[in-house]
Amino acid sequence: MKKLIIVLICSMSVIIASATADFTKYRGVYANNTAEAVITDSVCIVYFQKDSTMQAIIEVPDINFRHKTVFAPDGTVSFPTEVESLDIKRVGSMLNINGLDLEKVEDITTVKPYEMDKCSSPFQVGKCLQEWRLGLNYSVKGNLPACEINTNRHMFVYMVNPNMVYIRAAAARNNDKGTLFFQNIRMMKNQNTGEYTMYIMPGNLAFTKADLEIDNSKFKPNTCTFNPDGGIYWSLISFESDNILLNGCGETYQVPRPKKDNGLVEWIQYEPY
């Protein structure tokens, strides 16, 4: 799945968006126990549990685009056609999105495109894995969105196509041995495999605020390790100056070094852990 998203990022036709002032002042990652949101200069995605359903909304004001997805317990996925603009406001120390009070759990700073460091040493692998993934890209084909936002501590996807709906929020940490990836919100309907998942982790707020603890013994270059608590260890296979290979779940994941002109809509500042 990660390989699919990486290919998507590299190949999709990108709609270039200018900064949106109303979103810029709210930039960050926010959460409570039943919801999570990521806001950049040009995009907001909010994921939330409502009654027995899981729902998500993506909004891109600069192109007047909004999309909503609803997962129901009976295995159906619906896409309401009338989606109002997100109502976002500050209420004390909280951010309120459509009536949901959310606490900020990560700051986001956007920067101009720059030449990222090459990976020239085994002691640079962790930094490169974190930095090279940073940023925002999206496309809209017809009314089908594909968006990925990676911050320093979290990874977000909102993707809808005829064969798959894949919407998730995850935490991630990297070191020189690989990546620990942990999905805390997952909405998946895969026509090819038959998977149907709608899930938000109990205690979501505490999870999003905490640091993932890496157990280096779980990194094994010949396999993808699933930890009992839900974490997934993608182990380093090899690295080159412009590309890192990880052992994913049934396939090899590539993490390429972005170039200044590679079409990212937004670049996010690298912040060491």
Side-chain angles (χ1 to χ4, degrees):
M1 181 56 62
K2 183 63 180 177
K3 182 178 180 181
L4 171 66
I5 300 302
I6 291 171
V7 170
L8 174 69
I9 285 284
C10 294
S11 63
M12 65 187 173
S13 58
V14 176
I15 302 170
I16 301 299
S18 61
T20 302
D22 286 344
F23 274 6
T24 297
K25 65 184 179 183
Y26 299 128
R27 224 169 26 208
V29 178
Y30 300 83
N32 65 23
N33 281 333
T34 59
E36 191 164 343
V38 56
I39 305 176
T40 72
D41 289 334
S42 56
V43 174
C44 176
I45 305 174
V46 57
Y47 313 76
F48 56 99
Q49 188 176 41
K50 184 174 183 181
D51 299 323
S52 62
T53 68
M54 283 292 299
Q55 303 186 24
I57 300 171
I58 184 171
E59 181 170 6
V60 189
D62 287 342
I63 59 171
N64 194 30
F65 180 80
R66 291 176 291 279
H67 190 280
K68 184 175 184 178
T69 302
V70 179
F71 274 55
D74 63 1
T76 60
V77 179
S78 58
F79 309 103
T81 55
E82 298 296 325
V83 185
E84 295 184 358
S85 181
L86 293 169
D87 179 19
I88 305 176
K89 55 181 176 289
R90 295 196 186 279
V91 179
S93 62
M94 309 292 281
L95 191 72
N96 186 282
I97 304 177
N98 285 7
L100 299 167
D101 285 328
L102 304 168
E103 181 179 339
K104 180 178 272 192
V105 297
E106 183 183 3
D107 291 318
I108 294 175
T109 302
T110 51
V111 294
K112 294 181 179 179
Y114 68 98
E115 198 68 31
M116 292 187 179
D117 289 341
K118 297 190 177 200
C119 190
S120 57
S121 160
F123 304 108
Q124 290 181 299
V125 169
K127 176 182 183 297
C128 291
L129 283 171
Q130 178 184 343
E131 183 178 31
W132 291 359
R133 290 188 176 112
L134 292 172
L136 157 69
N137 224 334
Y138 69 87
S139 71
V140 178
K141 296 182 179 179
N143 193 45
L144 302 180
C147 179
E148 182 174 13
I149 303 172
N150 290 331
T151 70
N152 285 282
R153 295 175 177 270
H154 298 92
M155 304 173 76
F156 303 93
V157 168
Y158 191 116
M159 182 175 70
V160 178
N161 65 46
N163 295 317
M164 181 187 302
V165 179
Y166 181 48
I167 297 172
R168 62 110 166 108
R173 295 294 184 275
N174 305 278
N175 68 18
D176 295 333
K177 295 182 179 295
T179 297
L180 171 56
F181 172 79
F182 203 128
Q183 294 184 84
N184 55 304
I185 297 175
R186 182 177 176 89
M187 301 164 64
M188 166 69 88
K189 185 166 186 177
N190 189 326
Q191 304 287 4
N192 299 318
T193 66
E195 178 187 350
Y196 185 85
T197 304
M198 47 179 285
Y199 170 80
I200 183 169
M201 175 179 291
N204 187 66
L205 176 59
F207 172 81
T208 58
K209 294 170 68 175
D211 283 330
L212 291 183
E213 295 185 7
I214 292 177
D215 179 352
N216 282 329
S217 70
K218 302 293 177 66
F219 285 122
K220 300 176 182 179
N222 296 322
T223 187
C224 172
T225 303
F226 290 85
N227 210 43
D229 66 1
I232 305 174
Y233 285 80
W234 297 334
S235 300
L236 175 68
I237 296 174
S238 64
F239 72 91
E240 298 175 348
S241 60
D242 294 315
N243 197 40
I244 297 173
L245 300 183
L246 300 176
N247 195 312
C249 306
E251 58 187 320
T252 298
Y253 295 162
Q254 296 192 44
V255 183
R257 183 175 72 94
K259 303 297 177 62
K260 287 178 66 175
D261 58 351
N262 78 335
L264 281 173
V265 175
E266 293 183 53
W267 291 63
I268 291 174
Q269 181 174 294
Y270 168 76
E271 299 285 350
Y273 297 141

